[in-house]
Amino acid sequence: KVGDYITRGVRVDALDRTTKWDFAPTAEEGKEVVGGDILGVVPETKVIKHKILVPPGISGKILELKEGKFTVNDCIARLQTDGEDVELTMMQKWPVRKGRSYKDKLDPEVPLLTGQRINDTFFPIAKGGTGAIPGGFGTGKTVMQHQLARWSDAQVIVYIGCGERGNEMTEVLEDFPKLIDPYSGEKLMERSTLIANTSNMPVAAREASIYTGITLAEYYRDMGYDTAIQADSTSRWAEALREISGRLEEMPGEEGYPAYLATRLADFYERAGRVKTLCSDSEDRIGSVTVVGAVSPPGGDFSEPVTQNTLRVVGVFWALDSTLADRRHFPAISWLRSYSLYLGDLREWFNKPSSPDFTEQQEEMMALLQKESELQEIVQLVGADALPPRERGTLEVARMIREDFLQQNAYHDIDSFCSLEKQYLMARIILQWYNFANELVEQGIGVENLEGMKIKDAIARMKYVQSEEFGAKYEEIMKDMKDEFEAVKKREEVA
């Protein structure tokens, strides 16, 4: 090894062979076990209890089960299988290109909450789902990936920096140990695994980083954890495939990429899923792997092969728009181009008793944003003043949705993360303002009376209220809003 790099031909162990870990057995000697059963646990971090599993394909009776401190190479258990004894260690080996086995794949019925309003409310992703974040340079792909890695309610995060700049990986290494996980109260680094493959490493290492990340996630999934992978970015992996394919003198496909590009991408994303893991029939353990890949199309052209082949296999498309980024609207996810195929499966979960009209609110806000897009063409020709009062009200509430709801500051201490309950109440406030405004317009009161309302300032600042305190703030805003609308109505009636 020279400096920070490994010299050619040198093999370095991925796991430290000298460190001793505390192993506490949970199984019993004499018990019959199968592949995937838990032998014991090791406290890997304050958040993750590393469950030592019987390797897939092995079954038998436990002859001996030890307790104490061991290295990953030490024998912790002996199994009797088909007349012979098998020694088990705390370490397992698995070919990273091959997906780990499971019993059954489940429907995507539970959302992966991200703390990002446009993701959770408009384009949710399911646990075990797949998503893509394509966007040109400067549109915020890496920051979006960081946000998902920081605040997703997965129990284990695997962040893959595939061919990325070294300073971006450094930012993750510096930030994660400082941030607090809102779900466990511990440091984010306690549940995160980082795979660093910087742009100055060999191209073959890019493919290794992608497959290593998905295999690690599957390993934690088999323990019963919900895991999430952030791959930044799969375009660098595709470029490595193109370079290796060229050196092998294979027949090139579209834009020089190998003809098997679509197959490799599909195989990678297909390893996501929410599954019943391998274990004895008496135990019912469920885990998930959620995969989100960033795509960096040259010049922001979504018609290029990597983006198009990715869109064919993923369930969520968060399209980053350079126009929004130029206007400093972040996250710069286009609400008109993005989509989620999981909305139908997740509808029942979102419409729980505490928020029975959640999806109804989402559909109403989306309809208002689409209506605004249509009206903008008329506004550019004749100006907003020429529109009827109701349409002017639609433009105003759409502006509030864009600026007060969809915009979210990734670097703000409070606004960086928004709980689902807070998102629901924020949406109710904005839509209630729209309902009050429509009532006044129908009574012949001019929309210009609504433009200088004080309550709009409170609505604009509500995103900076702590989630724990938002319930009281919601009641206060709703009361003040009702009082101010009644005051406007009385003033117009007197006039």
Side-chain angles (χ1 to χ4, degrees):
K1 183 175 177 181
V2 180
D4 294 328
Y5 298 97
I6 299 171
T7 54
R8 186 186 295 273
V10 174
R11 186 182 183 280
V12 178
D13 292 324
L15 290 173
D16 190 340
R17 300 300 198 260
T18 59
T19 302
K20 291 195 172 185
W21 300 86
D22 285 315
F23 174 73
T26 56
E28 299 174 353
E29 292 183 358
K31 181 182 177 183
E32 292 284 342
V33 292
V34 300
D37 280 346
I38 299 172
L39 295 172
V41 295
V42 174
E44 184 176 344
T45 69
K46 293 179 181 178
V47 177
I48 300 174
K49 287 185 177 179
H50 196 110
K51 300 167 186 175
I52 305 301
L53 308 175
V54 177
I58 295 179
S59 61
K61 181 193 290 186
I62 300 176
L63 297 177
E64 182 184 9
L65 191 59
K66 301 179 182 178
E67 181 178 3
K69 289 181 173 288
F70 304 97
T71 67
V72 294
N73 275 334
D74 291 338
C75 172
I76 56 148
R78 286 191 306 112
L79 257 63
Q80 185 179 38
T81 62
D82 297 329
E84 61 177 337
D85 290 358
V86 176
E87 292 189 348
L88 301 181
T89 67
M90 291 192 288
M91 178 180 68
Q92 287 189 21
K93 292 186 178 181
W94 190 267
V96 295
R97 288 178 180 270
K98 178 184 177 183
R100 287 177 64 90
S101 306
Y102 53 84
K103 278 185 183 178
D104 189 24
K105 185 170 280 192
L106 305 174
D107 292 335
E109 298 173 336
V110 181
L112 180 77
L113 301 179
T114 65
Q116 310 306 298
R117 289 186 288 271
I118 189 166
N119 298 56
D120 293 343
T121 300
F122 282 78
F123 311 108
I125 186 171
K127 285 182 177 175
T130 53
I133 311 178
F137 178 77
T139 52
K141 292 186 301 298
T142 298
V143 173
M144 194 68 219
Q145 291 274 57
H146 288 187
Q147 287 295 93
L148 296 177
R150 286 171 178 172
W151 309 124
S152 296
D153 68 339
Q155 295 156 300
V156 177
I157 298 292
V158 180
Y159 185 91
I160 308 170
C162 178
E164 287 300 296
R165 293 182 291 275
N167 61 338
E168 292 181 351
M169 291 304 302
T170 303
E171 182 183 343
V172 177
L173 287 167
E174 290 178 346
D175 286 353
F176 276 36
K178 301 174 187 174
L179 296 167
I180 302 297
D181 176 14
Y183 304 102
S184 66
E186 299 291 343
K187 301 290 186 183
L188 275 174
M189 206 64 191
E190 297 289 330
R191 61 162 187 166
S192 303
T193 298
L194 307 181
I195 297 177
N197 167 241
T198 52
S199 54
N200 59 339
M201 291 183 181
V203 290
R206 297 188 184 181
E207 193 165 21
S209 69
I210 288 286
Y211 285 118
T212 301
I214 193 79
T215 306
L216 275 173
E218 288 176 335
Y219 180 58
Y220 282 105
R221 175 206 69 191
D222 291 348
M223 298 180 199
Y225 289 118
D226 291 318
T227 64
I229 295 179
Q230 311 301 325
D232 189 12
S233 80
T234 55
S235 290
R236 307 281 180 265
W237 170 36
E239 289 168 6
L241 287 176
R242 178 166 60 183
E243 187 167 337
I244 294 170
S245 176
R247 293 182 183 181
L248 293 173
E249 298 183 1
E250 295 174 340
M251 183 69 72
E254 189 178 0
E255 293 191 19
Y257 289 105
Y260 48 79
L261 171 67
T263 304
R264 292 285 176 88
L265 286 169
D267 287 345
F268 171 68
Y269 283 104
E270 189 63 31
R271 289 172 70 172
R274 185 165 172 264
V275 305
K276 288 184 178 179
T277 65
L278 291 180
C279 56
S280 298
D281 294 336
S282 59
E283 187 180 355
D284 194 12
R285 195 187 318 141
I286 294 175
S288 67
V289 175
T290 308
V291 181
V292 178
V295 186
S296 309
D301 177 17
F302 287 2
S303 65
E304 59 90 35
V306 181
T307 307
Q308 287 299 308
N309 285 305
T310 301
L311 292 186
R312 291 190 181 104
V313 295
V314 297
V316 176
F317 174 48
W318 292 313
L320 295 173
D321 190 338
S322 57
T323 305
L324 289 174
D326 292 341
R327 284 160 32 193
R328 316 310 297 165
H329 177 110
F330 292 106
I333 294 175
S334 170
W335 47 88
L336 298 177
R337 301 178 69 184
S338 303
Y339 62 81
S340 171
L341 300 179
Y342 300 114
L343 279 170
D345 293 311
L346 299 175
R347 182 181 294 271
E348 184 177 346
W349 191 96
F350 278 114
N351 290 338
K352 50 192 175 184
S354 59
S355 54
D357 56 343
F358 188 96
T359 54
E360 187 180 322
Q361 285 188 169
Q362 180 263 338
E363 290 167 0
E364 186 176 354
M365 288 195 293
M366 180 59 74
L368 288 168
L369 290 170
Q370 290 172 340
K371 182 67 175 176
E372 181 205 30
S373 177
E374 297 169 7
L375 292 174
Q376 285 297 342
E377 298 178 10
I378 302 172
V379 170
Q380 291 173 7
L381 292 174
V382 297
D385 294 339
L387 293 175
R390 177 177 281 274
E391 275 65 28
R392 288 174 63 185
T394 299
L395 288 179
E396 182 60 18
V397 73
R399 181 201 62 77
M400 293 167 72
I401 294 170
R402 286 189 287 103
E403 296 179 5
D404 304 336
F405 187 84
L406 295 183
Q407 273 189 302
Q408 194 167 351
N409 189 344
Y411 298 101
H412 193 278
D413 291 340
I414 296 173
D415 195 35
S416 181
F417 172 82
C418 186
S419 68
L420 194 66
E421 292 75 18
K422 182 178 174 181
Q423 295 178 39
Y424 172 68
L425 295 177
M426 287 176 68
R428 287 197 74 174
I429 288 171
I430 293 173
L431 292 175
Q432 187 59 57
W433 184 95
Y434 181 57
N435 292 334
F436 282 148
N438 278 341
E439 288 177 12
L440 292 189
V441 168
E442 288 173 1
Q443 295 172 18
I445 298 174
V447 73
E448 60 275 359
N449 293 287
L450 309 176
E451 293 174 352
M453 296 183 74
K454 293 181 181 178
I455 195 64
K456 288 164 67 175
D457 293 332
I459 293 174
R461 293 193 301 269
M462 67 181 175
K463 65 173 75 172
Y464 304 118
V465 178
Q466 291 276 11
S467 295
E468 299 79 18
E469 304 167 3
F470 198 80
K473 188 66 176 178
Y474 166 79
E475 299 293 342
E476 178 188 330
I477 291 176
M478 292 293 268
K479 180 181 180 301
D480 292 347
M481 186 194 307
K482 184 177 180 181
D483 292 344
E484 189 168 3
F485 270 101
E486 288 179 353
V488 170
K489 183 179 178 181
K490 289 178 181 177
R491 188 167 63 244
E492 287 298 306
E493 287 175 351
V494 172

